[in-house]
Amino acid sequence: MKLLTARVPRPRTSVHQPTRGYRIFQGINGVILTLVVLVTLYPFVNIVARSFSGERQIRAGEVTLWPKGFNLTTYKIVFRDSMFWRNYGNTVLYTVVSTVIAMVLTTCYAYVLSKRNLKGRGVLVGVAVFTMFFTGGLIPNYVLVTSLGLKNSVWAIALPNAVSVFNLLVMKAFFESLPIELEEAAEIDGLSTYGILLRIVLPLSKAVIATMILFYSVSFWNSWFSAYLYMDRTELMPATVYLRNLISGATTGGNAGAGTDQLSQVGANIQAVTIVLTALPILCVYPFVQRYFVSGVTLGAVKG
């Protein structure tokens, strides 16, 4: 006895073939984006090439994308100076301490302002926005920092610039976008205000926190005027002030700790070396922070 089995036809999966117009669009889009990437990368690649090039080739304008007259004189002068490494350590310390203080204050302030039922919320927002357009001025700030005894310390750099109003408003808007039901459920479960912030809000805010850390760290890393103003001793200066003084000495013909030929080489590419040394740490850290920008779109979403 033969068993008859009926063959069930498999559903045909229709593969969408891109149209000719869409393929043309993809090609044009790829060409445009490639050109944008090349235009964006060219200045930095040129700076790196100039930092390793010789004086004659730099002054003649022969350096484009590849070093010519390969020369490490400026790098050797900078790296052999023990003061540079001490100032570089100061930069790391100032950046870390200042960023931590700024993130704590900005996060707490933004979380408070995100509560629409808070009494006096408009006054607090107005005080913050007012400081975006009006400041006390350089001399009053200097007198204040000096009278508080903050000179020659990390607090002179961290505290006056602890809260950026732009970053504050960005974090406030992000906290306001989080579902209020999550906080209400956590409050019913017995969490306090600080517990809700630490266990509910912050884990859902990794994207904006990573962004603010990047903004603050870049700002403090590149800052030199505050240290130049409030630090009296050379060993307390950050690396940006050290490199700024090296540029000043090379461009004005002062003594940079080297002979005449070396001084000419330093004067030719010290600006390029300075840009490379200050930008390199941020470029190394950025790839580890950038992934949060991609995942930030889905963070805080309510799953149903």
Side-chain angles (χ1 to χ4, degrees), residues 29-281:
N29 193 32
V31 172
I32 294 176
L33 292 178
T34 302
L35 293 176
V36 171
V37 171
L38 294 177
V39 171
T40 305
L41 289 178
Y42 174 78
F44 185 75
V45 175
N46 178 257
I47 287 294
V48 174
R50 290 180 59 185
S51 69
F52 291 102
S53 299
E55 175 195 0
R56 183 183 62 82
Q57 289 80 3
I58 294 175
R59 299 192 185 279
E62 300 176 359
V63 182
T64 53
L65 298 176
W66 192 257
K68 293 187 178 180
F70 191 79
N71 197 299
L72 296 175
T73 300
T74 306
Y75 281 105
K76 290 179 181 178
I77 292 175
V78 173
F79 288 157
R80 288 175 181 175
D81 191 355
S82 60
M83 186 57 66
F84 168 76
W85 294 109
R86 185 165 186 173
N87 293 157
Y88 217 85
N90 292 338
T91 301
V92 175
L93 174 64
Y94 297 160
T95 301
V96 172
V97 174
S98 301
T99 303
V100 170
I101 293 175
M103 286 302 303
V104 171
L105 296 179
T106 304
T107 302
C108 294
Y109 198 179
Y111 183 66
V112 170
L113 295 181
S114 65
K115 303 304 176 183
R116 293 184 172 87
N117 58 350
L118 176 68
K119 294 182 179 180
R121 178 173 177 263
V123 177
L124 294 177
V125 174
V127 170
V129 174
F130 180 83
T131 60
M132 291 183 65
F133 306 100
F134 302 98
T135 60
L138 180 61
I139 295 178
N141 286 337
Y142 181 83
V143 173
L144 177 62
V145 171
T146 303
S147 61
L148 293 176
L150 301 179
K151 285 191 64 177
N152 296 319
S153 68
V154 64
W155 312 117
I157 299 176
L159 296 183
N161 304 306
V163 177
S164 169
V165 180
F166 174 79
N167 296 343
L168 173 68
L169 296 179
V170 171
M171 291 197 73
K172 168 182 168 294
F174 187 88
F175 289 154
E176 289 177 344
S177 67
L178 295 178
I180 190 64
E181 292 79 8
L182 294 176
E183 297 187 31
E184 293 176 350
E187 188 176 357
I188 293 175
D189 290 339
L191 285 181
S192 63
T193 302
Y194 295 104
I196 295 174
L197 175 62
L198 296 176
R199 301 179 62 179
I200 303 297
V201 176
L202 294 185
L204 295 175
S205 307
K206 293 180 181 179
V208 71
I209 291 175
T211 304
M212 295 301 105
I213 290 176
L214 182 64
F215 286 172
Y216 274 122
S217 60
V218 170
S219 176
F220 288 118
W221 182 273
N222 294 329
S223 176
W224 67 273
F225 186 72
S226 296
Y228 184 77
L229 190 65
Y230 299 125
M231 302 295 180
D232 296 334
R233 298 196 297 270
T234 307
E235 62 271 14
L236 297 177
M237 298 291 185
T240 49
V241 177
Y242 172 90
L243 296 172
R244 181 258 177 197
N245 294 335
L246 191 61
I247 292 176
S248 178
T251 54
T252 58
N255 182 17
T260 304
D261 295 338
Q262 288 184 335
L263 184 60
S264 300
Q265 175 63 40
V266 170
N269 67 350
I270 181 59
Q271 293 182 350
V273 172
T274 300
I275 294 174
V276 172
L277 292 179
T278 54
L280 186 60

